[in-house]
Amino acid sequence: MGSRASSLLREEEIEEIKKETGFSHSQITRLYSRFTSLDKGENGTLGREDFQRIPELAINPLGDRIINAFFPEGEDQVNFRGFMRTLAHFRPIEDNEKNKDPTASEPLNSRINKLLFAFQLYDLDRDDKISRDELLQVLRMMVLRMMVGVNISDEQLGSIADRTIQEADQNGDNSISFNEFIKVLEKVDVEQKMSIRFLH
Amino acid sequence: MENSLKQRRGLQVWFSVMIGLIMIPAMFGLSLGVTSVYIQILVKILEWSTLRIQRGHRDRPTLPVPAPLPNGLIQREGGSMEHEMGELRRYRTQSISRGEFALSDSFYFYRKGLESIVDDQVTQRFSSEELVSWNLLTRTNHNFHYISLRLTVIWGLGVIIRYCVLFPLRITLAIIGLSWLVIGTSLVGFLPNRRVKNWLSELVHLMCYRICARGLSATIQYHNKNNKPQKGGICVANHTSPIDIVILANDGCYAMVGQSHSGLMGVIQRSMVRSCPHVWFERSEMRDRHAVTSRLRAHVAAKSNLPILIFPEGTCINNTSVMMFKKGSFEIGGTIYPVAIKYDPRFGDAFWNSAKYNMVSYLLRMMTSWAIVVNVWYLPPMTRQEGEDATKFANRVKSAIAHQGGLLDMAWDGSLKRDKVKEEFKEHQQKMYSSMVVGKKARTSQEPHTESTKR
């Protein structure tokens, strides 16, 4: 009569994940159940098809980018640690964390790291700059170009991209660096908009 | 030697007496009341075990596995796409109606995406419902921990009773029921007279389904019997398992609709057709929607034919929600009699996960559960209104069934169990976003595919 769900997740692992991501004990075990239910192949890792099987994610225009964020450079499978590490970016920021020990590294769900996560979803080639092309790519994914009554041509998207870069670019290199990105979005309530409220 | 022979004979006699006692009242629709006593005892035991488990959790607060959450893992916040984008863009001087793009627009999609990865509404419908508290069956033991010796002993007793006492009884009853169906309907098929034949055929069908229901220890509660489906009508219900047919046919006679199979199922189907018309399609015919609709229409038009039984979801769902009704059944015309079926998950998980279990292993699991306890509600008949198309009508019926059965009304298609979601739904999202970029106010701020209403 043992418990099947957590038999594969050892206490030490839970502690490590807790330290790394800040999720509570019960949240980690619940997310582990979710992980195993998505893992149809039952091999302890998730592949891209496992994510694409979620209908609500499949209809998300940026779904593919989000799925990519889970997979480290060049890999096809993500294990539970990697899964949790990516999810940790969307953990809400708690007040008591602001008073934490300053020598500890920045928690994964800090404002800076949330913005970095969003930045990296734009910056595909990881050169720390969002180029015009990269911005255009994301725009193309979000928009429906052949729409009756409205015409959003590639040129229009191009000029939108140009205007956005112009607004944000401060050092004149025609691309958006991470600092410029932070500056443009400094008034956005990132803590609330890039957080998922977990029920205990 | 003699002793064991006597023992075996004694056992056989005892066995046949039991079967007789169960079968004969069942055939006439009467009940000796044994099952209800059994259910009451079970409820008491389950309540006791729930308390024990809760106490065990309290005594040991560092138990690694928490109880399942009935409302999901996360709280979904935020309103429509337009509202959220507006909030995200507040730092800019332009409003949504003037259009343009903001770097923060993508945040909306990222959060939605991550929310659906953590907890989505659809994939959970294709696996068994998680119980709030363990019901002493090994198969539902996902999150439950060893609590006490007494609980284990009860569980052990339960295993013995279910597998060694109940299971042989149930299998025998099922076999008797099915054989009687085949033999009885074939015999009735020889009769020429119309009225006597119909009456006898209904009797045979009812008896057989009642025996089968006993074979599952099914306790069925029918509500609003005055709305029972009439001849020449179409009965639609939510689909959880093949047992739904047995459940409904215990209280009335229906014309079944389905694919003709070979083997044992084929024998049963062919003999059933001899006594009264059912509608069996060849596999090739099923693809031609017009042929299917016209055959069903012809059946319904003959007012003396039994009501057709259709499950518009097209596949088995886990009885926590009702998924999209395929509009084909609602194009036939005639009166629709909606029926809501809700199983009590404490006594046995009735959901047939066809990806995991085949029919035989599913039936075996059913016969080794505690019991099947079902509530069936007959809803008032509905017809298509002026100017209402089949899809809207289907949704109206679906909402009524969901509301009555306490199930979640979902617009997602049940075929997502196996198929990928259609591209057009992604295009719908893109379309809505495009209106914001261009600067037109979006016509509807509702996103139909994430809309779901709970009672």
Side-chain angles (χ1 to χ4, degrees):
Chain A
M1 263 174 47
S3 48
R4 235 182 284 147
S6 73
S7 58
L8 302 169
L9 196 63
R10 300 182 316 277
E11 271 302 313
E12 314 93 65
E13 261 195 270
I14 299 182
E15 283 301 315
E16 281 172 36
I17 296 177
K18 194 168 171 181
K19 230 186 280 180
E20 192 182 356
T21 61
F23 282 116
S24 75
H25 206 279
S26 62
Q27 285 167 344
I28 295 174
T29 32
R30 281 193 230 279
L31 286 168
Y32 187 70
S33 296
R34 174 67 173 168
F35 181 83
T36 40
S37 72
L38 289 174
D39 179 15
K40 291 284 185 291
E42 293 189 1
N43 51 2
T45 58
L46 293 179
R48 287 198 167 79
E49 348 56 78
D50 292 314
F51 285 100
Q52 278 155 356
R53 220 176 279 122
I54 304 172
E56 287 167 57
L57 188 62
I59 65 170
N60 191 314
L62 295 177
D64 287 329
R65 280 289 165 100
I66 297 171
I67 295 174
N68 266 328
F70 281 87
F71 295 90
E73 207 53 52
E75 286 181 30
D76 278 335
Q77 299 286 321
V78 59
N79 61 11
F80 185 56
R81 292 287 284 269
F83 182 71
M84 291 302 279
R85 218 172 283 137
T86 315
L87 282 183
H89 287 108
F90 280 77
R91 202 166 66 82
I93 299 177
E94 284 126 39
D95 278 313
N96 54 11
E97 281 192 56
K98 296 201 185 126
N99 304 326
K100 257 210 174 110
D101 156 35
T103 59
S105 60
E106 191 87 36
L108 282 168
N109 67 334
S110 67
R111 187 193 160 87
I112 295 277
N113 277 324
K114 284 185 201 280
L115 283 168
L116 186 61
F117 181 78
F119 183 81
Q120 283 171 342
L121 281 171
Y122 278 110
D123 180 23
L124 262 190
D125 60 3
R126 299 293 170 95
D127 62 353
D128 288 331
K129 289 202 288 252
I130 303 178
S131 68
R132 181 182 188 271
D133 262 341
E134 289 170 336
L135 192 53
L136 206 53
Q137 264 182 50
V138 175
L139 272 169
R140 283 202 196 108
M141 286 174 85
M142 292 201 278
V143 151
L144 190 66
R145 272 173 300 156
M146 283 156 292
M147 202 166 84
V148 175
V150 182
N151 205 5
I152 306 190
S153 60
D154 229 20
E155 295 88 57
Q156 260 183 300
L157 288 179
S159 45
I160 290 179
D162 286 327
R163 275 199 289 272
T164 314
I165 294 185
Q166 228 175 22
E167 247 186 53
D169 194 15
Q170 286 169 346
N171 61 355
D173 60 354
N174 213 25
S175 60
I176 308 179
S177 72
F178 185 49
N179 286 320
E180 290 164 357
F181 189 73
I182 299 177
K183 191 87 194 354
V184 174
L185 299 174
E186 68 185 346
K187 292 215 192 76
V188 175
D189 186 4
V190 174
E191 288 88 345
Q192 209 244 333
K193 293 300 175 186
M194 290 272 281
S195 292
I196 301 178
R197 184 105 67 86
F198 286 89
L199 295 167
H200 280 267
Chain B
M1 202 41 164
E2 242 187 57
N3 232 352
S4 70
L5 250 152
K6 261 200 227 156
Q7 271 181 357
R8 208 181 304 154
R9 204 165 303 153
L11 212 65
Q12 280 175 347
V13 170
W14 191 79
F15 197 66
S16 332
V17 168
M18 288 278 284
I19 295 285
L21 273 177
I22 298 177
M23 224 180 75
I24 303 196
M27 282 163 63
F28 297 103
L30 303 163
S31 164
L32 288 176
V34 178
T35 317
S36 38
V37 173
Y38 169 60
I39 299 280
Q40 280 171 358
I41 297 178
L42 258 182
V43 170
K44 289 267 164 18
I45 295 180
L46 289 178
E47 279 173 2
W48 173 84
S49 79
T50 309
L51 286 172
R52 269 313 264 119
I53 294 174
Q54 280 174 352
R55 214 168 23 146
H57 276 186
R58 255 179 286 139
D59 294 340
R60 271 186 279 168
T62 58
L63 267 178
V65 191
L69 288 170
N71 290 324
L73 278 148
I74 54 181
Q75 186 175 331
R76 298 229 180 180
E77 291 173 329
S80 64
M81 192 194 279
E82 204 183 322
H83 174 84
E84 286 297 305
M85 292 289 187
E87 295 221 322
L88 280 164
R89 286 186 186 181
R90 246 189 302 182
Y91 71 98
R92 296 169 64 95
T93 45
Q94 281 168 318
S95 66
I96 287 277
S97 53
R98 297 216 342 248
E100 269 290 333
F101 163 77
L103 283 168
S104 54
D105 285 353
S106 51
F107 292 12
Y108 170 78
F109 292 116
Y110 295 152
R111 183 166 91 177
K112 277 270 151 128
L114 265 292
E115 277 177 352
S116 64
I117 290 176
V118 172
D119 193 16
D120 82 300
Q121 285 290 6
V122 183
T123 54
Q124 55 170 286
R125 310 292 165 193
F126 302 134
S127 58
S128 302
E129 185 183 356
E130 241 186 77
L131 290 172
V132 180
S133 179
W134 191 40
N135 65 347
L136 297 174
L137 292 172
T138 328
R139 64 194 64 152
T140 49
N141 185 6
H142 298 305
N143 292 322
F144 301 102
H145 213 53
Y146 176 81
I147 299 285
S148 79
L149 184 62
R150 237 184 288 176
L151 210 60
T152 319
V153 166
I154 300 244
W155 169 75
L157 269 177
V159 170
I160 296 177
I161 295 179
R162 281 184 294 121
Y163 281 83
C164 303
V165 175
L166 294 176
F167 181 57
L169 272 174
R170 288 173 180 171
I171 271 262
T172 322
L173 282 169
I175 296 178
I176 295 179
L178 284 176
S179 338
W180 176 230
L181 179 66
V182 175
I183 299 173
T185 48
S186 310
L187 285 177
V188 171
F190 287 125
L191 289 177
N193 189 325
R194 209 74 213 274
R195 251 192 337 167
V196 176
K197 182 175 181 180
N198 285 342
W199 180 76
L200 268 179
S201 142
E202 283 186 28
L203 199 64
V204 168
H205 274 105
L206 269 176
M207 278 206 289
C208 146
Y209 284 120
R210 287 194 179 129
I211 299 176
C212 286
R214 280 281 177 275
L216 293 164
S217 295
T219 305
I220 314 172
Q221 182 89 324
Y222 296 99
H223 303 267
N224 307 331
K225 280 200 186 186
N226 51 321
N227 290 327
K228 218 155 81 163
Q230 304 291 323
K231 294 201 171 154
I234 304 174
C235 175
V236 302
N238 57 314
H239 201 28
T240 307
S241 101
I243 296 181
D244 291 341
I245 302 176
V246 173
I247 303 286
L248 287 178
N250 252 275
D251 194 39
C253 286
Y254 298 92
M256 309 286 165
V257 177
Q259 221 182 323
S260 20
H261 293 273
S262 52
L264 181 62
M265 275 300 290
V267 172
I268 299 177
Q269 285 177 332
R270 280 191 293 275
S271 58
M272 280 170 79
V273 171
R274 274 193 215 118
S275 63
C276 71
H278 296 280
V279 189
W280 304 122
F281 290 102
E282 298 298 323
R283 190 168 216 143
S284 46
E285 276 181 287
M286 301 235 25
R287 270 184 239 126
D288 182 357
R289 269 188 49 199
H290 287 291
V292 171
T293 317
S294 54
R295 239 181 104 177
L296 289 173
R297 209 173 269 155
H299 183 105
V300 170
K303 289 293 176 184
S304 61
N305 278 338
L306 296 168
I308 316 178
L309 181 57
I310 295 187
F311 297 104
E313 281 166 311
T315 185
C316 294
I317 313 291
N318 75 348
N319 210 228
T320 54
S321 69
V322 184
M323 296 187 106
M324 185 178 98
F325 275 5
K326 299 203 191 308
K327 61 180 176 158
S329 337
F330 299 89
E331 290 172 330
I332 304 172
T335 326
I336 301 273
Y337 295 90
V339 179
I341 306 176
K342 180 83 176 105
Y343 291 86
D344 190 333
R346 287 180 299 173
F347 299 100
D349 172 30
F351 168 57
W352 181 32
N353 191 343
S354 45
K356 243 179 155 181
Y357 307 106
N358 60 12
M359 175 75 90
V360 177
S361 50
Y362 168 73
L363 286 173
L364 290 177
R365 279 162 61 93
M366 281 297 100
M367 291 192 195
T368 54
S369 310
W370 290 119
I372 310 271
V373 177
V374 206
N375 274 305
V376 177
W377 287 274
Y378 292 111
L379 288 134
M382 294 181 168
T383 40
R384 195 155 82 166
Q385 284 166 353
E386 268 309 313
E388 196 180 31
D389 69 349
T391 317
K392 279 218 188 70
F393 181 40
N395 284 333
R396 194 159 58 93
V397 176
K398 173 161 68 82
S399 300
I401 293 183
H403 184 85
Q404 179 65 272
L407 305 161
L408 199 63
D409 182 3
M410 300 183 73
W412 292 98
D413 190 345
S415 63
L416 287 171
K417 196 196 240 179
R418 293 197 184 87
D419 304 331
K420 285 204 146 133
V421 71
K422 294 199 195 121
E423 270 299 303
E424 54 192 56
F425 301 135
K426 186 192 254 192
E427 284 169 17
H428 180 89
Q429 298 266 311
Q430 289 170 319
K431 194 168 169 184
M432 285 185 59
Y433 179 66
S434 305
S435 327
M436 290 178 214
V437 172
V438 167
K440 291 197 172 134
K441 265 223 152 21
R443 234 169 293 133
T444 52
S445 46
Q446 261 183 341
E447 292 150 50
H449 261 80
T450 51
E451 175 190 356
S452 53
T453 48
K454 200 173 176 117
R455 241 188 101 206

